[in-house]
Amino acid sequence: MTVFDSPAGLADALALGRLDAHAQGALRARGELGALDLTDAAILRARHFDPVLGALSHTAFDAARQHARALDAAGVDTATPLAGVPWLPKDSLRVPGMPTRGGSRSRTGTLATADEASPFVRRFEAAGLVAIGKSAMPEFGLMGSTEPLLGPVTANPWALTHSPGGSSGGAGAALAAGIVPLAHGSDGAGSIRIPASACGVVGLKPGRGACVPVRGRHAIEDLIVADSLMSRTVRDTAWAFAAAHPESPVAVTGPDARRLRIGLVVDALPGLAPDPEVAAALDATARLCQSLGHHVEPVAWPLPGEAVWAALYTLWSRLGADAVELAVAQGGAAFAERALEPWTRGLAHWHDTHCGVPELEQAWATVAALPAAFADFHARHDVLLCPTLRTPPPTLGTLAPDRDFDALMPAMFEWISYTPLQNLAGTPAISLPLAHGRDGLPIGLQFAADRGREAMLLALAFELETAAPWCDRWPPVSVAATQDTR
């Protein structure tokens, strides 16, 4: 037993939760705490906050403790500086000993075996991270808010009546509250950057091919989805990107001296204006970049928004159609009707109604044209700056999967209308928590670059983190705001 393995250790566990992954790992490296201490503290924080937040879809506390004990028995290895640090994989990842439900009632609770673990999971297991459970997500990651009918509905630590975003909403909420310092996100149309913005944390979407394989082979996922670990600090995010990169680049550890040409985009696709609070945050961020010596100028999107918007609708609805076909094959039409959410079935119906061969051909033609268009854009502008989301986080229920589909579809896509372009283009982007609205809800700003330029984005993020620090800003439901009630 550790001091954290009881309610008496709550104050110490909360204090430890204010540290990022590197700081927690350093405590173990110096011999001040063991992996079991770090794990027990995270478990205590999860038990304290999750009944309110609903950030975890599955808990694996006993297995986490067993893993931590094994790490402590093996001793400290300087090659794995974050060994013993707790993390949360998302419910879409195959993690040995845990179910993979993807937020859907159509999935069983079958536990994954060691042989089924994805290479992405194995990378972070080899780095010594300790998974204390899984983070919540909407059904198959198809919604920008984490309100699956399977449960749990995840609340935003900044305002419990508001959404934490999605699809990695459980990850964003857990990080914002300080339950864990690292949490996995997967991003097919903004699903890392959306909750990063809504919850006030750092969210990097790597470019196409810039992380080890995560799920099974799928034409759409292979092209538009990217995975990384979200965090509260740039150094944690940079470490995670290096750990998951197939070519194992040298980790970015700070800013560089290069001054960048930044193209500023105000309106979302296709021509949607941002909320005034978001527009003000964008203007303040542009002025911050200029004050640091970067050149900022207004620009237009690299491709007409209508074509990109149409491709997004076609490909995203196709994912819904795929989900319905799999459920029918699994248990028949009645099972699919009963087990899948109205949003997923609505996407499938919309695809069947609106998307034939011509629409699919046009969608793939748009996707094929985007890399060259962005290469041309980034020959003139190193970075594209825009909001991450059109508005601050909406209230829970606004994007609920059982809301009327005809109203839900535009509401969802218009809210996330800044993020999908980088998925279709295969380019990297990062959301940074540089602003808050009048009601205190976070507003993220997005920086995007050409393919293979993640290091440049991370160096810029380090510089902005120093110039406008966010690590001392904590939500009302968090390790910083909760007092020990012993």
Side-chain angles (χ1 to χ4, degrees), residues 220-268:
I220 295 178
E221 281 214 358
D222 289 349
L223 282 173
I224 70 173
V225 181
D227 294 71
S228 69
L229 299 192
M230 302 160 60
S231 75
R232 290 183 52 84
T233 63
V234 178
R235 67 176 180 174
D236 283 356
T237 296
W239 172 88
F241 171 69
H245 195 286
E247 298 175 358
S248 299
V250 176
V252 181
T253 58
D256 60 34
R258 180 184 175 188
R259 299 299 84 189
L260 303 175
R261 302 163 298 169
I262 299 177
L264 176 68
V265 174
V266 177
D267 289 345

Side-chain angles (χ1 to χ4, degrees), residues 125-474:
E125 285 184 337
L129 299 189
V130 178
I132 67 166
K134 281 192 164 185
S135 65
M137 61 180 288
E139 185 168 67
F140 303 131
L142 294 173
M143 173 52 66
S145 185
T146 305
E147 307 175 46
L149 298 185
L150 170 68
V153 172
T154 306
N156 193 318
W158 291 92
L160 295 178
T161 57
H162 286 252
S163 171
S167 63
S168 308
L175 290 168
I179 294 175
V180 291
L182 293 167
H184 162 248
S186 56
D187 191 318
S191 290
I192 289 172
R193 294 159 288 156
I194 294 164
S197 177
C199 295
V201 300
V202 179
L204 169 70
K205 182 201 83 71
R208 191 170 293 156
C211 65
V212 294
V214 178
R215 289 159 293 276
R217 309 307 300 175
H218 187 283
I220 295 178
E221 281 214 358
D222 289 349
L223 282 173
I224 70 173
V225 181
D227 294 71
S228 69
L229 299 192
M230 302 160 60
S231 75
R232 290 183 52 84
T233 63
V234 178
R235 67 176 180 174
D236 283 356
T237 296
W239 172 88
F241 171 69
H245 195 286
E247 298 175 358
S248 299
V250 176
V252 181
T253 58
D256 60 34
R258 180 184 175 188
R259 299 299 84 189
L260 303 175
R261 302 163 298 169
I262 299 177
L264 176 68
V265 174
V266 177
D267 289 345
L269 294 174
L272 299 168
D275 178 272
E277 287 187 88
V278 174
L282 178 64
D283 180 67
T285 300
R287 287 187 278 107
L288 173 63
C289 291
Q290 287 177 319
S291 73
L292 295 171
H294 301 289
H295 175 72
V296 182
E297 65 176 359
V299 295
W301 291 107
L303 272 188
E306 291 76 9
V308 174
W309 203 248
L312 173 65
Y313 269 60
T314 297
L315 297 178
W316 204 251
S317 63
R318 180 61 182 235
L319 292 172
D322 287 347
V324 170
E325 289 178 3
L326 287 172
V328 170
Q330 178 184 346
F335 170 77
E337 180 75 17
R338 180 178 70 255
L340 294 179
E341 295 179 348
W343 167 247
T344 303
R345 290 185 278 109
L347 284 173
H349 177 72
W350 192 92
H351 188 85
D352 291 343
T353 304
H354 294 86
C355 301
V357 170
E359 286 76 17
L360 284 170
E361 288 180 337
Q362 183 57 52
W364 289 123
T366 300
V367 171
L370 279 168
F374 267 90
D376 179 68
F377 174 89
H378 286 299
R380 292 171 280 112
H381 305 282
D382 301 300
V383 172
L384 187 155
L385 166 61
C386 66
T388 305
L389 294 165
R390 282 190 66 227
T391 73
T395 55
L396 289 169
T398 303
L399 301 178
D402 53 358
R403 182 184 171 190
D404 175 70
F405 181 84
D406 290 339
L408 181 56
M409 193 174 196
M412 204 279 279
F413 284 113
E414 288 177 9
W415 186 50
I416 70 166
S417 48
Y418 286 99
T419 55
L421 183 59
Q422 276 68 43
N423 298 91
L424 296 176
T427 52
I430 191 169
S431 179
L432 299 177
L434 290 167
H436 281 70
R438 288 187 301 273
D439 56 3
L441 287 168
I443 296 173
L445 283 303
Q446 179 175 228
F447 298 82
D450 204 5
R451 198 177 305 183
R453 304 309 300 271
E454 288 89 354
M456 182 176 68
L457 288 179
L458 289 166
L460 175 60
F462 270 113
E463 183 179 12
L464 292 169
E465 184 181 38
T466 299
W470 55 74
C471 284
D472 289 335
R473 294 202 303 257
W474 290 90

